[in-house]
Amino acid sequence: MKQLIQATVAILIISGGLLYTVKLLNISGGKTGKDILTIYNWGEYIDPALLKEFEKETGIHVIYETFDTNEAMLTKIKQGGTAYDIAVPSEYIIEKMLEEDMLIPLDHQQLPNLKNIDPYFLDLPFDPHNKYSIPYFWGTVGVVFNPSKVGNVNFDSWNDLWDPKFKHQVFLVDSAREVVGISLNNLGYSLNTTNDKELAEAEAKLAELAPNVKAIIGDETTQLMVNNEASVALTWSGQAADMISENEALDYAVPHEGSNLWFDNIVIPKTSKNVEGAHKFINFMLEADSAAENADYVGYSTPNQAALALMDEDVVNDERFYPTIEQRETLEVYRDLGLEYIGIYNELFLRFKMSIR
């Protein structure tokens, strides 16, 4: 009898353990319900305190995962292994997600704080009437540099990166659209060109840049610039702002030939199992206080007009990171180029990377 009781207890313990394990697997696998929200975002792209505050206000538990590239995010969502309720793609990926019917239309009635967004950032070509996406952050691609190390060069032109004086000194981001883009900008071509002749010229122009390139890397650039171990790097405006906040000797410029104007946006993928919670989260992030706190933490530019009034005037008046509408006219938004030309851009970039010594 004693052995039977022990066996029964053991079975109950094992069963309980299995049920708990299944519950954890369900949560980690994104099998969300009304009390769970699974978010997929870029790394270091939200103030963790806001996630805690949202949980406290709503009782919804947040599972937070990160990605490094738009393409990685898109692939993961398409695979369907995790039921993401929120994702934060860039504009050209939103076009692709819409083409593949991957997004849930937003109910603007549940988003009263949408009124806080600057109209300039609404109703853009990649999502007319913001039927599927809400602006999150925006910015530019440019050059961060240390004036004490580059002499009288201010990177007013992309061609400054090609100056022989910067041999083996330039760091580039590990991203095809950005690197191919600086060559296209330098030549006066569109960042979205599908003209084979123009792309061939851009590849030849990049080949001329190769001797100046020290490395093609990611987030490591930040500490290299902050520690004065590098003099010049291609980067995004928010990353440059982070660097400058830690090393005030640095500067940031967007060359006059033009550059990329990008928008990251919050969407609800069709994988979502908590659409109501997703709307609550979006509206929470649209609150002026939330948006201001998030922009202060992340360092990128907020499209939330109401938040700007709560932020440091020196920050929001800095035209390096909040360029005027006139300055934005020289900038171009990435468009989805289609599978064929995305492959061509990636192959061009790969050949360039392999040429770096």
Side-chain angles (χ1 to χ4, degrees), residues 161 163-171 209-216 229-232 356-357:
L161 288 177
D163 190 324
K165 72 189 290 184
F166 298 122
K167 183 175 181 179
H168 207 53
Q169 293 186 47
V170 177
F171 286 88
L209 178 64
N212 285 8
V213 178
K214 185 173 181 64
I216 298 176
E229 296 175 40
S231 57
V232 57
I356 304 301
R357 296 289 183 266

Side-chain angles (χ1 to χ4, degrees), residues 13-29:
I13 291 172
I14 293 171
S15 298
L18 287 173
L19 286 172
Y20 180 71
T21 301
V22 169
K23 182 179 180 181
L24 288 179
L25 288 173
N26 285 345
I27 291 175
S28 65

Side-chain angles (χ1 to χ4, degrees), residues 5-219:
I5 293 173
Q6 289 175 333
T8 301
V9 171
I11 291 171
L12 289 172
I13 291 172
I14 293 171
S15 298
L18 287 173
L19 286 172
Y20 180 71
T21 301
V22 169
K23 182 179 180 181
L24 288 179
L25 288 173
N26 285 345
I27 291 175
S28 65
K31 295 182 179 179
T32 61
K34 64 178 182 178
D35 297 325
I36 298 172
L37 194 74
T38 306
I39 299 174
Y40 203 24
N41 198 0
W42 299 85
E44 298 186 6
Y45 214 39
I46 195 170
D47 185 344
L50 288 171
L51 297 179
K52 295 295 184 184
E53 185 177 339
F54 174 76
E55 289 181 323
K56 183 177 180 180
E57 282 190 12
T58 64
I60 298 173
H61 173 64
V62 173
I63 298 172
Y64 191 81
E65 297 184 19
T66 64
F67 57 85
D68 296 323
T69 67
N70 277 294
E71 289 70 25
M73 176 275 302
L74 182 65
T75 299
K76 184 78 178 289
I77 292 179
K78 288 173 69 173
Q79 288 172 345
T82 302
Y84 293 112
D85 300 298
I86 290 285
V88 188
S90 299
E91 66 293 312
Y92 70 99
I93 292 294
I94 289 176
E95 286 187 295
K96 191 167 186 64
M97 296 177 88
L98 288 175
E99 288 174 6
E100 300 188 23
D101 194 28
M102 295 174 64
L103 301 178
I104 291 175
L106 300 172
D107 179 3
H108 286 198
Q109 294 298 315
Q110 297 185 54
L111 304 173
N113 289 324
L114 183 58
K115 67 180 185 297
N116 291 335
I117 296 293
D118 184 337
Y120 177 90
F121 300 102
L122 297 173
D123 197 24
L124 296 175
F126 62 86
D127 182 19
H129 310 299
N130 292 91
K131 186 176 179 180
Y132 295 92
S133 67
I134 299 298
Y136 183 65
F137 279 124
W138 67 282
T140 58
V141 172
V143 180
V144 63
F145 59 100
N146 189 325
S148 68
K149 291 177 174 288
V150 300
N152 60 355
V153 180
N154 61 8
F155 296 95
D156 179 61
S157 169
W158 284 115
N159 207 47
D160 290 335
L161 288 177
W162 274 257
D163 190 324
K165 72 189 290 184
F166 298 122
K167 183 175 181 179
H168 207 53
Q169 293 186 47
V170 177
F171 286 88
L172 299 179
V173 296
D174 193 4
S175 178
R177 293 297 293 266
E178 278 68 29
V179 173
V180 176
I182 66 173
S183 188
L184 290 169
N185 277 137
N186 199 345
L187 293 166
Y189 298 142
S190 168
L191 295 176
N192 299 302
T193 185
T194 54
N195 182 303
D196 293 335
K197 180 176 180 294
E198 292 177 354
L199 287 169
E201 288 183 48
E203 182 170 15
K205 188 69 176 177
L206 279 179
E208 297 174 12
L209 178 64
N212 285 8
V213 178
K214 185 173 181 64
I216 298 176
I217 53 178
D219 292 338

Side-chain angles (χ1 to χ4, degrees), residues 288-335:
D289 289 350
S290 298
E293 179 180 337
N294 204 31
D296 285 338
Y297 179 87
V298 175
Y300 281 90
S301 303
T302 179
N304 193 305
Q305 201 166 36
L308 297 178
L310 305 177
M311 296 171 61
D312 188 323
E313 288 187 8
D314 290 340
V315 172
V316 300
N317 292 328
D318 191 335
E319 294 182 0
R320 294 174 299 177
F321 306 110
Y322 284 88
T324 65
I325 292 178
E326 291 73 25
Q327 290 170 319
R328 295 175 212 164
E329 291 178 358
T330 67
L331 308 176
E332 188 175 10
V333 177
Y334 291 141
R335 303 300 303 268

